[in-house]
């Protein structure tokens, strides 16, 4: 009980607030995940496909990295490789100093946590502001994340309220909505002022040189749009070969992580803004962190890099549910962290973590890409034992057990002696001396079974032999043989429970998808389900009335209008006496757009299956129009609605693979308003992005060309359950 992990675990177990927070959060995450996968036509086939993508990617990682570097360079992204944390920090500081940066805003990035970037920025006189609500909470508390996707999962609402009252506003209450709004107000100014934005990367698409972020709060979009310099930091495990494969991984990541079909924002970045774009960074840098990763490529633990950081394995792990993330003393906690931490930090620093597992297999059961964590935990334990890192008593005990197991007579004699001693001590308390006394003072040993397993097995074999001899032809009784076969199959299935799914092959052709017979109707249903506010306009007049109704909710504030609208909205608002803001000719006009109550945009496509609006940047299409105003309103011609997320892949591939200067620097998939559940998993809408998102479906023909809904379905449909 003296190992550092055991000491931290003991402290965690004694923390009543932590136990309450962990129980509530992990149970809720697990329930949401299960429900989210039920919305797919073939969840196991989808996960098998995702696994195949990850496995194939790492088997040819060198080729994909070369492609990624070429694509990024073509897009104008400056790539910096960093063999270790010191080199990565050096690159960040050099970029910041070159631009005279005084403050940076950060979106959630585990890679930046891995290199302790905030500490180095502060030491260099640069103020970092974490902008993910959970990350901001732990920054205020001076702590580290305790979960891959929910950094403040260990804190109760009362603890967060006390923290905000102490560090932000002494009048802060304890309502999660009020606390979230306080964060919005405090950090909005920092977004507008910061000289540099730092983000992580969820996926880096090699064929197009696209850096992708999966977020909910809108802070990721702010960080990568408002500062004039954007720095992304990632490990090499984020590489994905193609856009279509990225869409498959996107279909499993939010479902496994937060229980969403897709997060509020999926942001795809291809480089600095073009000369025709009003907003976005002038410089984009990517820092590729090795940090010990390459020494494990091709080895027994390479599979750990298949992880897409959803955090599902943490939520079902009985050890994590009991002690939380800080007991692991690593930013990567839980089952996957027990592999990654020793890989990146070495067995000397984190070798005890593989023992922090019950090996129940629940982590493999829920992993969206079937990472075989139990196998690697066992191999890591073996590596630790071979290095003699275990304590002397532990090594002596296992050596003695191993010697006895190799000598059956000695093993049986030991069992008999142990059973005899157990009968003498059973049901007695306080019999032990030394460190075991405290344990026996509160617990009594049970009586041993009357027969050992070996004795029962011999008896069973004897009975079977007698039956065989009693048979006229000497053959075993058929009924007993059948029963034995059934038992054998049952044992095999039981031993494979939780790992059998990992062997499911990926389907050779197109994945089955749920049927979407009426794409506009399905979009309206899904958009409402993610708290969007949809309206199907029967004609132009109905659309005009609805737009003016929304604009008048903000009587003293202008309406920002993109140039790709298919209706004369500017004319309608002018006649109604409402001020409008057109896309700026020079500069991003951020202060003016921030005053707007409503931002109105068109859309490139909309996805029926998820209720998602797809926008891409370009001339007359500023990113900020759908980000800074309180309300975002999108006009969607019905003939731009596609049925499935997978059908978006080829379209995005064509757009992102366009000629330099022609391709957009940013594509956003927007699914409902910005949201967060970082305070006791209480959902609050309107964090850093718009508080409301409205969509008006216009009759077909109300927009420019786009594939008809009838043409956009999957060729292989299953009826939705």
């Amino acid at each position: 009980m003296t190992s550092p992990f055991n000491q931290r675990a003991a402290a965690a177990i004694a923390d009543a607030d932590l136990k309450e927070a962990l129980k509530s959060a992990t149970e809720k995450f697990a329930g949401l995940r299960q429900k989210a996968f039920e919305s797919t036509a073939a969840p196991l086939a989808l996960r098998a496909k995702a696994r195949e993508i990850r496995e194939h990617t790492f088997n040819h990682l060198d080729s994909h990295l070369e492609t990624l570097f070429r694509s990024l360079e073509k897009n104008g992204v400056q790539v910096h490789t960093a063999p270790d944390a010191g080199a990565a920090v050096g690159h960040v500081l050099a970029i910041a100093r070159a631009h005279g940066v005084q403050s940076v805003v950060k979106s959630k990035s585990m890679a930046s946590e891995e290199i302790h970037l905030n500490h180095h920025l502060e030491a260099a006189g640069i103020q970092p502001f974490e902008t993910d609500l959970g990350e901001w909470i732990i920054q205020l508390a001076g702590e580290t994340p305790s979960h891959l996707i929910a950094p403040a999962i260990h804190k109760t609402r009362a603890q967060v309220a006390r923290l905000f009252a102490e560090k932000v506003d002494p009048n802060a209450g304890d309502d999660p909505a009020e606390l979230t709004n306080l964060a919005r107000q405090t950090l909005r100014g920092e977004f507008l002022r910061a000289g540099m934005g730092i983000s992580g990367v969820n996926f880096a698409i090699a064929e197009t040189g696209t850096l992708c972020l999966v977020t909910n709060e809108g802070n990721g979009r702010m960080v990568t749009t408002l500062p004039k310099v954007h720095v992304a930091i990632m490990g090499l495990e984020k590489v994905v070969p193609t856009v279509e494969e990225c869409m498959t991984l996107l279909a499993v990541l939010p479902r496994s992580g937060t229980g969403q079909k897709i997060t509020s924002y999926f942001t795809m970045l291809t480089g600095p803004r073009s000369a025709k774009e009003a907003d976005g960074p002038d410089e984009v840098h990517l820092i590729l962190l090795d940090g010990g990763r390459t020494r494990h490529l091709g080895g027994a633990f390479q599979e750990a890099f298949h992880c897409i950081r959803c955090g599902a394995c943490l939520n079902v792990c009985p050890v994590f549910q009991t002690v939380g993330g800080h007991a692991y003393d690593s930013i990567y906690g839980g089952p996957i962290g027990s592999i990654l931490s020793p890989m990146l930090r070495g067995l000397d620093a984190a070798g005890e973590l593989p023992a922090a597992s019950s090996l129940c297999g629940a982590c493999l059961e829920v992993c969206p890409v079937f990472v075989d964590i139990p196998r690697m935990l066992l191999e890591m334990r073996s590596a630790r034992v071979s290095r003699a890192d275990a304590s002397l008593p532990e090594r002596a005990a296992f050596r003695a057990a191993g010697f006895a197991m190799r000598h059956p007579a000695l093993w049986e004699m030991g069992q008999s002696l142990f059973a005899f001693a157990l009968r003498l001590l059973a049901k007695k308390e306080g019999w032990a001396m030394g460190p075991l006394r405290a344990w026996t003072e509160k617990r009594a040993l049970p009586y041993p079974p009357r027969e050992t397993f070996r004795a029962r097995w011999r008896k069973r074999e004897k009975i079977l032999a007698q039956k065989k001899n009693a048979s006229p032809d000497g053959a075993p009784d058929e009924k007993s043989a059948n029963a034995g076969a059934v038992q054998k199959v049952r044992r095999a299935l039981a031993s494979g429970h939780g790992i059998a799914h990992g062997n499911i092959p990926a389907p050779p052709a197109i994945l089955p998808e749920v049927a979407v017979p009426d794409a506009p109707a399905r979009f309206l249903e899904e958009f409402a389900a993610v708290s969007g506010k949809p309206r199907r306009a029967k004609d132009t007049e109905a659309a005009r009335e609805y737009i003016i109704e929304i604009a008048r909710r903000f009587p003293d504030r202008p309406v920002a209008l993109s140039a790709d609208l298919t209706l004369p909205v500017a004319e309608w608002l002018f006649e109604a006496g409402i001020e409008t803001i057109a896309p700026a000719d020079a500069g991003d006009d951020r202060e003016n757009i921030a005053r707007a109550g409503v931002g109105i945009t068109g859309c490139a496509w909309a996805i029926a299956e998820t209720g998602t609006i797809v926008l891409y940047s370009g001339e007359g299409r500023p990113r900020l129009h759908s980000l800074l105003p309180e309300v975002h309103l999108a006009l969607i011609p019905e003939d731009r609605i596609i049925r499935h997320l997978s059908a978006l892949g080829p379209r995005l591939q064509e757009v992102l693979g366009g000629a330099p200067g022609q391709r957009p620097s940013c594509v956003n998939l927007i699914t409902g308003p910005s949201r967060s559940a970082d305070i006791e998993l209480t959902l609050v809408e309107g964090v850093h992005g718009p508080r409301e998102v409205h969509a008006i479906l216009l009759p077909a023909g109300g927009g420019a060309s786009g594939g008809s809904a009838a043409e956009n379905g999957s060729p292989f449909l299953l009826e939705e359950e």
Side-chain angles (χ1 to χ4, degrees), residues 179-234:
L179 294 170
T180 302
N181 191 49
L182 187 56
R184 176 187 176 100
Q185 293 173 352
T186 305
L187 292 173
R188 178 59 70 97
E190 305 304 335
F191 283 121
L192 295 171
R193 284 189 289 272
M196 190 164 84
I198 298 176
S199 75
V201 177
N202 289 98
F203 305 117
I205 304 173
E207 68 172 347
T208 57
T210 306
L211 307 177
C212 305
L213 299 178
V214 179
T215 62
N216 272 311
E217 298 183 2
N219 63 311
R221 292 187 62 195
M222 296 271 194
V223 163
T224 57
T225 300
L226 287 165
K228 292 305 176 188
V229 180
H230 170 214
V231 176
I233 308 173
M234 71 173 214

Side-chain angles (χ1 to χ4, degrees), residues 338-394:
S338 295
I339 302 296
L340 287 173
S341 299
M343 288 172 67
L344 302 181
R345 296 167 55 195
L347 284 172
D348 291 337
E352 62 179 349
L353 295 186
S357 169
S358 65
L359 297 177
C360 65
C363 47
L364 174 58
E365 185 78 19
V366 300
C367 177
V369 293
F370 298 113
V371 174
D372 194 347
I373 295 175
R375 174 189 67 77
M376 289 186 286
L377 285 171
L378 286 172
E379 295 205 27
M380 196 73 80
R381 289 182 186 186
S382 176
R384 181 181 175 230
V385 170
S386 67
R387 287 165 49 95
D389 280 353
S391 64
L392 180 61
E394 185 179 346

